Amino acid sequence: MEITITLRGTLRKYFGQDKERKVEVPDNCTCDEALQAVGINYKEIPSFGFVAVNGMRVMIYDRLSPGDELKAYSRISGG
């Protein structure tokens, strides 16, 4: 199935010049599996924050559907 993965904040550097990519992933895959498919191991990225699907914050192990937009956000800090 095809989904769109968008990286936000400091995570954008992992896609080089692109901020988003349309990718083919296995049916019924999780957000974690989709990120792994494009070479992003969120467990090894200290600045990784959270993911959202179609504008709604979700858990990393939630399942995706065809056409979903997965956004990965970096951790936000400030004061």
Side-chain angles (χ1 to χ4, degrees):
M1 69 180 177
E2 184 178 80
I3 64 165
T4 302
I5 298 178
T6 304
L7 302 181
R8 304 292 303 220
T10 60
L11 300 178
R12 293 171 109 175
K13 67 183 176 186
Y14 293 97
F15 275 0
Q17 298 296 322
D18 302 328
K19 91 172 187 180
E20 72 177 33
R21 290 184 185 169
K22 289 194 181 295
V23 296
E24 284 290 325
V25 295
D27 289 346
N28 209 26
C29 80
T30 64
C31 297
D32 171 47
E33 293 166 338
L35 290 173
Q36 296 280 349
V38 294
I40 297 173
N41 183 352
Y42 74 95
K43 293 176 186 173
E44 295 180 2
I45 302 173
S47 64
F48 188 88
F50 64 94
V51 293
V53 175
N54 302 327
M56 300 290 293
R57 188 171 175 174
V58 299
M59 301 301 289
I60 195 78
Y61 295 111
D62 282 1
R63 303 237 172 242
L64 296 164
S65 299
D68 278 350
E69 181 181 20
L70 169 64
K71 287 187 180 179
Y73 292 85
S74 59
R75 200 171 280 175
I76 301 169
S77 64

